[in-house]
Structures are given as C-alpha cells and as structure tokens.
Amino acid sequence: MRTRLPDFRLGSVLATSFTGTLTERRGNAVERIPTPHRLVDWLTVNGLAVESCTTAQLERAWELREAIHAAATAAATQDALPASAVQVINDRSTQGRAAAILTPEGDRRWQLSSASCVEDALGVIAADAISIIAGERDGKLALCASPTCQAAFFDTSQSRTRKWCDMNTCGNRQKKARFNANQRKNPSAK
C-alpha cells in the first residue's frame, strides 16, 4: 500500500508558501517535501517546473526553507536577522539563473534557464524572500497564532491583523478548540 503524502499548503506568496512545506513546527512536524520527487512536484505547482532533483538539491532546498523561516520570523518579531540565514538566502539568490517575464495577461512569471534546475528555482524563491523581508512589498510578515504552528506568513489583508497562516487549517482548528472549551464551560448553551 502506497503512503499518502500530505497536501501542499499553497499561498499567494512564494517564499512563505515554501516555508509552509514544513508545518506544525512546534507540534508534530509534518514534512510536505520529504523526497526529491516531491520537491519537483511542489516547484511545478508553483510555476517553477524543473526536470529532476537530487538528494543534495533537496537538502539545499531544506536549508533555504529554514533560512527563510528564521529570517522571516526575526523580521516578524522585529529581531535582528540571523547572519547565517541571510548568507544562505543570498547564496541561493545569486546561484539561480532565472528571469522575470511579462505574460500577455500582464502577470509576472519566472522563466528558468533552458536547462531548468533546482538551483534556478531556489534562486527565485530566495529573491522572493528578499523582497518581503526587506519590506519592498505591500504587506507585513507575521507569525501564525497557533501554538503548534508558528509559521511565518505574509499578511496582505487590508488591516494587517491576520492571525493564522491558513484559516482552513490553523484558524479552523483554533476556532473549534475555543468552541469546544466554551461548550465544556457552559453545557446548558447547547
């Protein structure tokens, strides 16, 4: 019987969606890209299709993911950015060979080199992380209010007061827990 892999959590911001490939960081962690092939799948879903991935490239991707998470967490809490995380992000950003292109619909897409490789895709993800951590985009970095998640996410809501990385998972779980606690405290309210 084949093991079912966890679904990807897809967001509108590439860098924080990438950090979301490891969820429940403070609970029972869920690795959503455990194999090189799964990284290829995630990159394809996010418009960065590559032909293949090695174990070494997957390890570099995990290293970038953790560097982005560390830097985004520091930025969200207004702490100093970890020098080691900044170095990894910068290294990955400069190693890729990708170009921004404009589609006929007026959207920006990334075009990887003709020999599409994981390093090109990681360069795009690192560049996206740099733009949000440096404050170049309209929004703010925040941390999920779920005590088991604490994922960094980019809040583009009008009020910039979003609490959850994903309302359908963390937000829903917290609302359900609050409802159940209220029901236990006040059983006659049924």
Side-chain angles (χ1 to χ4, degrees), residues 2-74:
R2 194 173 151 174
T3 309
R4 187 174 185 282
L5 294 169
D7 293 334
F8 296 133
R9 288 185 177 176
L10 302 175
S12 60
V13 178
L14 183 63
T16 54
S17 290
F18 187 58
T19 64
T21 60
L22 179 66
T23 55
E24 298 302 313
R25 290 171 179 270
R26 303 251 190 302
N28 294 323
V30 177
E31 177 59 73
R32 296 174 188 276
I33 53 170
T35 65
H37 182 72
R38 193 69 171 155
L39 177 59
V40 170
D41 291 344
W42 188 90
L43 291 171
T44 300
V45 167
N46 285 280
L48 298 171
V50 298
E51 295 177 17
S52 64
C53 177
T54 66
T55 301
Q57 289 171 320
L58 176 62
E59 289 170 359
R60 284 193 290 280
W62 287 338
E63 181 183 37
L64 176 61
R65 176 185 67 194
E66 296 313 302
I68 294 170
H69 180 71
T73 297

Side-chain angles (χ1 to χ4, degrees), residues 78-102:
Q78 299 180 342
D79 288 334
L81 301 179
S84 59
V86 169
Q87 186 65 50
V88 169
I89 294 167
N90 288 340
D91 287 349
R92 295 298 177 275
S93 179
T94 60
Q95 290 169 357
R97 296 166 302 188
I101 60 169
L102 185 63

